[in-house]
């Protein structure tokens, strides 16, 4: 049975991807930061769940040790865990440092350490790594400076690992755009985002899954990044 590791399976995209891989017969290993009602459903379906807050160094290292014990052959690794939080202009220097440390830990350090630890398992399976970056990695949003910078670092890591690990393991990225609005997003915000999106609609999660399938199944793709954003990266916001 093929195995996939997905970080950030507690909600939204990660939760959706876990179900998609289960439907293909994969054994799914999932990381989550905090307990959520949705996780009971994943457990009932046989997903192996491991709790870890990647912003906490000890928890990250414990997570890596736990995953290494659970799989010696890994077909797919999805780096999906994310912290999408605005920079706070009221932060003190110490608070800003701690905030940036958390962004760096989740978006760059965790993927790096997980990659290094699981390379033997990925190589054994001639596996695939897919990282969720962001269209903001290339066109940063002024209110999310730390988020954008750390996602840009992840995008660079994708290229580095794609070159370093070829031809045994392929490494690619997906840059999501306005896929799925949050419940707290007001209609004015939604209208503004869609007005800045050439395809003028909310993408949903299926386009991301379709892009992951492409990256996994096309064995001549590595080091590439697919924008799944309805064309929003073509506009200025």
């Amino acid at each position: 049975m093929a195995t996939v590791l997905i970080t950030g399976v507690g909600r939204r995209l990660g939760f959706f991807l876990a179900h998609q891989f289960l439907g293909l017969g994969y054994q799914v290993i999932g990381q989550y930061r905090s307990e959520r009602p949705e996780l009971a459903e994943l457990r009932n379906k046989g997903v192996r769940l491991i709790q870890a807050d990647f912003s906490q160094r000890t928890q990250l290292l414990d997570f890596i040790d736990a995953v290494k014990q659970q799989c010696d052959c890994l077909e797919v690794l999805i780096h999906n865990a994310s912290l999408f939080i605005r920079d706070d202009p009221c932060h003190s220097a110490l608070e800003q440092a701690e905030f940036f440390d958390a962004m760096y830990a989740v978006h760059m350090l965790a993927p790096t350490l997980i990659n290094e630890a699981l390379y033997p398992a990925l190589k054994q399976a001639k596996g695939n790594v897919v990282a969720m970056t962001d269209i903001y990695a290339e066109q940063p949003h002024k209110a999310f400076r730390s988020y954008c910078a750390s996602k840009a670092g992840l995008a660079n890591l994708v290229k580095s690992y794609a070159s370093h690990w070829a031809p045994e393991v392929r490494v690619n990225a997906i840059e999501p755009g306005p896929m799925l609005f949050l419940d707290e997003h007001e209609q004015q915000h939604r209208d503004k985002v869609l007005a800045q999106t050439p395809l003028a609609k909310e993408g949903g999660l299926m386009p991301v899954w379709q892009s992951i399938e492409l990256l996994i199944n096309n064995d001549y793709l590595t080091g590439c990044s697919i924008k799944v954003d309805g064309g929003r990266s073509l506009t200025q916001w």
Side-chain angles (χ1 to χ4, degrees):
M1 179 185 295
T3 301
V4 57
L5 168 61
I6 307 170
T7 64
V9 297
R11 61 196 295 265
R12 292 169 61 84
L13 180 59
F15 182 76
F16 176 79
L17 294 180
H19 281 281
Q20 296 303 114
F21 277 105
L22 285 169
L24 293 181
Y26 277 74
Q27 170 63 62
V28 179
I29 302 173
Q31 172 270 344
Y32 67 98
R33 183 174 58 183
S34 55
E35 192 65 37
R36 302 179 64 86
E38 297 94 326
L39 294 173
E41 180 180 338
L42 295 182
R43 289 190 180 96
N44 290 337
K45 291 181 177 292
V47 176
R48 302 177 186 174
L49 293 174
I50 305 173
Q51 188 279 328
D53 181 346
F54 286 166
S55 69
Q56 304 299 312
R57 186 71 52 86
T58 300
Q59 292 188 41
L60 171 58
L61 296 177
D62 288 345
F63 168 80
I64 290 171
D65 287 340
V67 171
K68 287 175 66 176
Q69 294 174 15
Q70 293 194 29
C71 66
D72 54 13
C73 188
L74 183 63
E75 280 73 15
V76 183
L77 168 58
I78 307 289
H79 292 300
N80 174 65
S82 185
L83 283 178
F84 186 61
I85 306 173
R86 290 173 178 266
D87 287 77
D88 188 340
C90 296
H91 274 168
S92 66
L94 176 59
E95 289 170 331
Q96 181 61 31
E98 293 173 343
F99 179 77
F100 192 89
D101 283 346
M103 290 288 177
Y104 166 77
V106 173
H107 299 145
M108 294 183 65
L109 181 62
T112 297
L113 296 185
I114 293 169
N115 280 358
E116 295 293 338
L118 296 182
Y119 173 69
L122 287 161
K123 182 179 179 181
Q124 175 68 24
K126 294 192 70 69
N128 288 271
V129 179
V130 181
M132 297 297 155
T133 58
D134 200 296
I135 56 175
Y136 285 153
E138 295 182 16
Q139 294 179 263
H141 191 295
K142 62 183 179 181
F144 294 87
R145 299 178 297 281
S146 299
Y147 169 84
C148 295
S150 55
K151 282 289 190 175
L154 176 58
N156 190 271
L157 282 172
V158 167
K159 296 177 182 179
S160 297
Y161 277 106
S163 175
H164 181 47
W165 282 353
E168 289 86 4
V169 177
R170 295 189 293 110
V171 186
N172 295 288
I174 292 175
E175 301 174 41
M179 307 307 301
L180 194 65
F181 290 117
L182 296 170
D183 292 340
E184 57 263 32
H185 284 147
E186 297 179 354
Q187 191 60 46
Q188 182 179 3
H189 169 79
R190 300 181 187 212
D191 292 343
K192 180 181 178 180
V193 169
L194 295 181
Q196 297 169 337
T197 303
L199 293 186
K201 64 180 181 180
E202 186 180 17
L205 302 178
M206 184 56 71
V208 174
W209 169 245
Q210 292 167 335
S211 299
I212 289 175
E213 286 191 297
L214 169 65
L215 293 173
I216 292 173
N217 294 326
N218 188 327
D219 64 6
Y220 206 56
L221 293 178
T222 197
C224 74
S225 188
I226 300 176
K227 291 180 172 62
V228 185
D229 68 347
R232 190 164 188 242
S233 55
L234 300 172
T235 66
Q236 297 294 324
W237 53 79

